[in-house]
Amino acid sequence: VAQALNWTFVDTDSVIEACAGRTIAEIFAQDGEPSFRALEAEVCIETAGGSQLVIATGGGALLNPVVYAAFAAASLLVNLRCDLDEILRRVGHDPARPLFTTEREKLARLYADRADHYNSLPFQVDTTHRAPPHIAEEILNLWRSKS
């Protein structure tokens, strides 16, 4: 999407790691989730104020009402949906994701706990069994229809 619009892509998790000088897993392990969430909120709010950006956030970022409001004020918010089994297949055991687990039951609980919030986002795009170019085109069509 960023490439098609000739905009800058920002992964807030990468920005958090650069700011902290540590990986997200290290931040979780050394400082705990609340410290990570505070840093995440700072980075997201600052990033949301930018222009001509395509921003990817971590799975919990938009659960923070202040972060959500910052993005909603000036952004097209799109929830990229995916079947739980496909998420497990794609991500596997990624040590960079401290809340991610390959234990399906634990992941299913996290997924269910966040579902209502994710489902409240204005736009939903199902990525299950779809290639990135098709997903990007759907998001671009949403962007064009909102502009």
Side-chain angles (χ1 to χ4, degrees):
V1 173
Q3 192 173 33
L5 293 171
N6 199 27
W7 289 6
T8 301
F9 175 74
V10 177
D11 180 330
T12 59
D13 283 350
S14 296
V15 175
I16 291 165
E17 289 182 339
C19 289
R22 297 179 285 164
T23 67
I24 290 172
E26 290 169 337
I27 297 167
F28 263 76
Q30 296 166 7
D31 303 333
E33 185 175 359
S35 292
F36 168 76
R37 294 295 174 200
L39 181 55
E40 177 183 58
E42 286 178 39
V43 166
C44 286
I45 291 165
E46 183 176 326
T47 304
S51 63
Q52 295 190 333
L53 302 175
V54 173
I55 303 166
T57 68
L62 294 178
L63 298 173
N64 178 324
V66 177
V67 170
Y68 183 92
F71 280 116
S75 304
L76 176 74
L77 292 175
V78 179
N79 177 34
L80 300 179
R81 293 174 173 246
C82 190
D83 175 80
L84 188 59
D85 289 323
E86 181 65 10
I87 292 171
L88 280 166
R89 188 191 70 72
R90 288 179 188 174
V91 179
H93 181 67
D94 183 350
R97 298 172 180 260
L99 295 181
F100 188 84
T101 174
T102 55
E103 295 177 45
R104 193 180 192 293
E105 295 76 29
K106 286 183 182 179
L107 186 59
R109 273 195 304 279
L110 181 64
Y111 193 83
D113 289 347
R114 294 177 174 184
D116 286 344
H117 187 75
Y118 290 160
N119 291 336
S120 75
L121 271 84
F123 298 99
Q124 308 287 321
V125 173
D126 189 352
T127 68
T128 308
H129 309 300
R130 294 181 67 199
H134 298 119
I135 297 163
E137 188 59 36
E138 185 172 346
I139 295 168
L140 288 165
N141 288 336
L142 287 170
W143 173 251
R144 290 179 191 119
S145 72
K146 294 297 291 175
S147 298

